[in-house]
Amino acid sequence: MFDKLDSVAARYEEISRRLMEPDVTGDPEQYASLMKEYSRLTPIVEKYRAYRTAKDACDEAREVLDESGVDREMRELAQEQLDENRAVLDQTAQELKILLLPRDPNDDKNVIVEIRGGAGGEEAALFAGVLYRMYTMYAEGLGWQCEVISANETELGGYKEICFSITGEGAYSRLKYESGVHRVQRVPETETQGRIHTSTVTVAVLPEAEEVEFELDPRDLQIDVFRSSGAGGQHVNKTSSAIRVTHLPTGMVVECQDERSQYKNKDRALKVLRARLLDIKVREQNDKIATERRLQVGTGDRSERIRTYNYPQGRVTDHRIGLTLYKLDSVLNGDLAELFDALMTFDQAEKLKSAEEA
């Protein structure tokens, strides 16, 4: 581990020097790339420096304790210094192991989130709207940007399905654990006898794919133009601006009609298609590594029930890690940090255990 840390520290110093060179500062693309790597390495190097400082303090204390003729007060101070820094060494060593775990290459990407009502009809559609609000409030609290790509609304204000993008640093690293079936237990507004109903909503979180990562062959695409439907005023009914893109090899269909511009709708539809196809590719790769899939909290299996929102008890339960929080209202208002931190910590612990056993 320490050979790797020495290499990381050397690379960090090299980048630090290069960022001051005129040929780098004059090249925005190269400068941005190096800054991104510099930012990623900074917490590792800072933690390694803390480890080295604690180690030097331990060595210094041991030298005092090994000396003969040292008075009692000095020995007590040295022993105290040794004990304190041993604890720091143990903690920082563990944190360094986590920092050195292989990173998900998609962690820094923006995401496309697709929410679909499942079992429960209108009640499921209404809860799809609740989840959409929950994620957008979480994102806005971090200063991230949200943009609806397509939506199929119901008469009561829910969504049969809604697709939207979230743009922000590290968006995928936080939201990737949300893919799966979300279950809600509550008394619907339309229920006259006060009975609790159980409904489900499916969430898919896809890392946004760059064109260079997943190039679409125009020959594989069938693009149809049609008139938008639903809410939108007179303009919607007069202009054929909605786009339907069919990926012929897979039969996958993406529609987008939220923008008045045919060009913008096409661009958004292709963005969703590219993300879905990249997601399939990544999932196929993960399928080949069964042990890795078992370790990951966020397997991306959208048939897996991952969380229950129980309104009568005011609780949220994440079934993958056995965590229950009695703060339903705040969670639905976007207070997801405690849930996400717990999921990330569990995932890191499992990967660390696997790395140590290997």
Side-chain angles (χ1 to χ4, degrees), residues 27-315:
D27 183 346
E29 189 173 333
Q30 186 180 12
Y31 184 82
S33 176
L34 286 173
M35 273 302 299
K36 189 173 182 179
E37 185 178 1
Y38 185 82
S39 298
R40 181 176 62 82
L41 295 180
T42 295
I44 301 175
V45 173
E46 288 179 347
K47 191 63 64 177
Y48 186 35
R49 287 172 178 169
Y51 180 89
R52 295 287 296 270
T53 299
K55 185 177 184 303
D56 290 343
C58 283
D59 292 342
E60 181 183 302
R62 287 192 185 97
E63 287 178 7
V64 173
L65 291 172
D66 289 342
E67 288 179 12
S68 58
V70 177
D71 63 42
R72 190 182 70 177
E73 186 176 352
M74 280 295 294
R75 293 184 69 84
E76 288 177 352
L77 287 172
Q79 186 63 53
E80 184 179 336
Q81 178 177 315
L82 180 61
D83 293 341
E84 287 179 358
N85 284 282
R86 271 179 178 166
V88 174
L89 277 180
D90 291 342
Q91 182 178 341
T92 52
Q94 191 71 8
E95 291 170 346
L96 280 168
K97 289 177 183 177
I98 292 173
L99 287 169
L100 289 175
L101 287 172
R103 295 180 75 253
D104 186 331
N106 293 320
D107 273 354
D108 294 330
K109 293 183 178 178
N110 303 322
V111 298
I112 291 173
V113 183
E114 298 178 328
I115 303 176
R116 293 182 175 84
E122 185 63 50
E123 173 65 7
L126 288 169
F127 192 65
V130 171
L131 291 186
Y132 166 64
R133 177 180 176 274
M134 178 182 78
Y135 291 130
T136 53
M137 290 187 72
Y138 172 76
E140 288 165 3
L142 293 173
W144 296 349
Q145 294 182 332
C146 302
E147 187 175 18
V148 174
I149 295 173
S150 63
N152 185 352
E153 293 186 59
T154 64
E155 292 182 0
L156 296 182
Y159 293 100
K160 290 182 180 178
E161 60 181 57
I162 182 168
C163 176
F164 59 101
S165 64
I166 297 180
T167 302
E169 185 177 349
Y172 186 72
S173 69
R174 301 291 290 175
L175 292 163
K176 64 183 176 181
Y177 304 110
E178 293 302 287
S179 291
V181 175
H182 295 242
R183 184 175 70 168
V184 58
Q185 296 172 324
R186 66 180 180 179
V187 179
E189 294 179 8
T190 55
E191 171 60 54
T192 57
Q193 299 183 31
R195 294 175 300 182
I196 297 173
H197 285 222
T198 298
S199 306
T200 60
V201 171
T202 301
V203 175
V205 178
L206 314 175
E208 191 172 287
E210 303 292 337
E211 290 186 39
V212 293
E213 288 180 292
F214 206 103
E215 187 175 351
L216 294 172
D217 188 337
R219 293 171 297 183
D220 291 341
L221 304 177
Q222 176 182 314
I223 299 178
D224 300 308
V225 181
F226 60 99
R227 288 190 177 182
S228 300
S229 60
Q234 294 180 346
H235 175 90
V236 170
N237 299 321
K238 291 181 178 179
T239 308
S240 295
S241 60
I243 292 289
R244 179 186 298 110
V245 179
T246 304
H247 186 246
L248 299 175
T250 61
M252 189 177 292
V253 178
V254 180
E255 292 184 359
C256 189
Q257 61 179 14
D258 273 42
E259 290 287 341
R260 295 189 176 191
S261 162
Q262 186 182 116
Y263 172 79
K264 287 183 178 179
N265 280 328
K266 179 182 176 182
D267 183 58
R268 287 183 170 189
L270 291 176
K271 182 183 290 188
V272 174
L273 177 61
R274 197 176 288 115
R276 286 184 186 175
L277 292 172
L278 178 63
D279 182 59
I280 290 172
K281 181 180 178 182
V282 170
R283 285 157 63 84
E284 287 175 348
Q285 291 171 345
N286 286 341
D287 281 340
K288 296 177 182 177
I289 314 171
T291 54
E292 179 67 13
R293 279 184 60 83
R294 282 197 297 271
L295 290 174
Q296 291 179 348
V297 175
T299 61
D301 183 356
R302 276 148 221 159
S303 65
E304 175 193 5
R305 187 191 71 187
I306 64 169
R307 192 174 299 144
T308 294
Y309 306 78
N310 186 293
Y311 276 67
Q313 297 178 16
R315 66 172 169 83

